[in-house]
Amino acid sequence: MADGTWDLIVTPWHVDEPIPAFPIPLGATEVVRPVLPAGPVPARMNVLHQAALDAVTRAARPLVLSGDCATARATVAGLQRRHRDVAVLWLDAHGDFNTPAISTSGYLAGMALAMLTGRTPGLFDDSLGLRPVPDTSVVLADARDLDPAERDALTASDVHRVPADPAAITAALGRLGPVPVYLHLDVDVIDGAQLSGARFPSGPGPSLARIEDCLAAACATADVRAAGIACAWLPEHVHDRTTRRTITRLTAALGAGLEILGFRHNADTARTSEGS
């Protein structure tokens, strides 16, 4: 297992749109949104992901706070520059396994895990140098909200699917062996009753405390070399006090202490409101 030191990076955008109110923790590296070309959204996203990749490459152990899941392309590409083989732990209410061929909405951030596993050829150019992660090296936790075609694609794949449960995640990671892991969390995996203002709420699910336990278990079990938290709140909610509290709790579960505009995680009182 890696030590508890993280290099915090913030990419304050969703797909190709800026999020001006995105919280920037003290000491974090904020990736400045580059000037984007006119043209297709994937090409604009690729420019953003290149900027994120540059920041990730400079970090010893990157923890990326982003506004969507697709930015994971940059983090995994950066991790692959240091390690030949990489595994992925993906905690999300959604599968993010749609592709342009099966998506009913065309929502690109809903294809993020499909991107990592090489299922979206031609959507982006290869400037990031991202190599497809084998299905057998991917653990998908929860994914309770799937489109029908997406469900079929996951069933036909070799992706390991587990509940958002610390023991199940520990066992799945243990079967992968000693390989560097990218840990990805979309905050909407948390029970909708505890996550007001989510872009794509998914109803009942694991509590915030359960997700904290999952993150801690993953870090205790696997060699987590990079991580990403998709802060998938609506723009008008992304800087709420409850949002900032949730972010600090999740990062603390990964072993990263941070402060956002004076709000600091308090491990002694964080769970009192939900009875843990």
Side-chain angles (χ1 to χ4, degrees):
M1 278 73 74
D3 64 29
T5 302
W6 288 100
D7 299 300
L8 193 61
I9 299 169
V10 177
T11 59
W13 57 73
H14 173 258
V15 185
D16 65 337
E17 296 294 331
I19 307 175
F22 200 97
I24 309 297
L26 298 179
T29 296
E30 179 182 359
V31 179
V32 177
R33 185 173 179 270
V35 176
L36 301 182
V41 172
R44 292 163 60 86
M45 291 173 67
N46 218 44
V47 174
L48 292 169
H49 296 167
Q50 184 63 61
L53 174 60
D54 291 344
V56 166
T57 302
R58 292 191 297 268
R61 192 183 182 214
L63 169 54
V64 180
L65 302 183
S66 65
D68 64 25
C69 291
T71 306
R73 293 181 65 237
T75 311
V76 173
L79 193 59
Q80 288 176 334
R81 291 186 176 187
R82 299 174 186 171
H83 305 282
R84 186 186 68 176
D85 298 316
V86 171
V88 172
L89 169 61
W90 196 273
L91 296 99
D92 200 319
H94 307 94
D96 288 358
F97 215 65
N98 278 306
T99 66
I102 66 173
S103 174
T104 58
S105 66
Y107 178 56
L108 291 173
M111 306 179 191
L113 188 55
M115 294 172 187
L116 295 187
T117 56
R119 286 176 165 81
T120 58
L123 186 60
F124 301 99
D125 65 31
D126 62 357
S127 59
L128 299 188
L130 178 68
R131 304 188 300 275
V133 178
D135 289 2
T136 51
S137 296
V138 177
V139 176
L140 174 60
D142 192 65
R144 63 187 182 271
D145 188 357
L146 300 172
D147 295 332
E150 180 185 33
R151 186 183 302 276
D152 292 344
L154 276 167
T155 299
S157 77
D158 289 319
V159 169
H160 306 284
R161 293 191 58 193
V162 298
D165 172 79
I169 287 173
T170 296
L173 291 174
R175 288 192 292 270
L176 295 180
V179 60
V181 171
Y182 167 67
L183 187 159
H184 183 87
L185 169 72
D186 187 331
V187 295
D188 65 22
V189 73
I190 299 166
D191 190 293
Q194 293 186 331
L195 198 75
S196 60
R199 283 183 184 267
F200 302 103
S202 296
S207 68
L208 173 55
R210 172 56 65 92
I211 294 302
E212 288 176 287
D213 291 340
C214 289
L215 298 180
C219 289
T221 302
D223 186 12
V224 178
R225 292 297 178 122
I229 298 179
C231 301
W233 282 275
L234 292 165
E236 61 269 27
H237 287 274
V238 78
H239 210 285
D240 289 352
R241 179 173 176 80
T242 53
T243 296
R244 288 179 282 142
R245 181 184 295 113
T246 299
I247 293 171
T248 56
R249 285 184 59 171
L250 294 171
T251 54
L254 292 170
L258 60 81
E259 185 175 358
I260 304 175
L261 292 180
F263 184 84
R264 184 181 293 276
H265 175 75
N266 185 332
D268 296 328
T269 61
R271 297 189 178 194
T272 56
S273 62
E274 62 182 275
S276 130

